[in-house]
Amino acid sequence: MGTQSVMSSEAVQLPIVLEAVDESVATALAVGLAMPDRSVIDATTRDLVGHLRALMAEDLGFDEDPAVQALFREGYRVLDLTRRPTAESTHFGAYQYMREVGLLTGRFADVYRETQERDEADA
């Protein structure tokens, strides 16, 4: 499976804690009257990128499912370092990226849940 290239020296193989993933996704996708402070956006984005990398390192049926393959392609695209906001990026650009990573991480978490449920039912 081609998912190992997602892992880097900053990503450590830890167990997936879906509650933490869900909390980060909820933070990223919460709708408020104003955008969060940039420090909150940056911290949430870092959390989401870590969760996304961990989920992409899991066996989610990449070899068998074209939909999962498409999801991984989107994951690689979003994690591309040239797409990530920098300190010079606008507040809105960083916010939009956080939301994009949040949506994608949520989709990966859903596939992970389905995979776990299927594995438990097969056991």
Side-chain angles (χ1 to χ4, degrees):
M1 176 167 36
T3 61
Q4 292 304 317
S5 62
V6 172
M7 300 303 290
S8 72
S9 60
E10 69 184 65
V12 178
Q13 187 68 19
L14 297 174
I16 305 293
V17 180
L18 287 172
E19 294 79 17
V21 173
D22 292 341
E23 183 178 321
S24 293
V25 169
T27 298
L29 301 180
V31 176
L33 296 177
M35 280 189 284
D37 290 337
R38 180 64 185 259
S39 61
V40 172
I41 292 170
D42 292 343
T44 301
T45 300
R46 277 191 303 276
D47 289 346
L48 288 166
V49 165
H51 294 313
L52 182 56
R53 285 179 178 210
L55 287 162
M56 289 179 74
E58 293 294 314
D59 181 8
L60 302 176
F62 179 86
D63 295 330
E64 304 88 33
D65 189 341
V68 173
Q69 292 169 6
L71 193 60
F72 271 86
R73 282 191 297 276
E74 180 68 10
Y76 290 124
R77 185 188 68 76
V78 167
L79 290 175
D80 180 3
L81 291 176
T82 62
R83 296 198 71 245
R84 292 195 198 173
T86 64
E88 293 78 34
S89 299
T90 66
H91 191 118
F92 184 72
Y95 176 74
Q96 285 295 96
Y97 181 78
M98 175 192 71
R99 290 184 56 81
E100 182 178 18
V101 176
L103 286 167
L104 187 60
T105 302
R107 290 171 51 207
F108 266 95
D110 290 343
V111 171
Y112 179 79
R113 280 186 187 90
E114 291 171 13
T115 302
Q116 294 299 315
E117 290 169 1
R118 188 174 44 244
D119 290 348
E120 288 174 9
D122 290 343

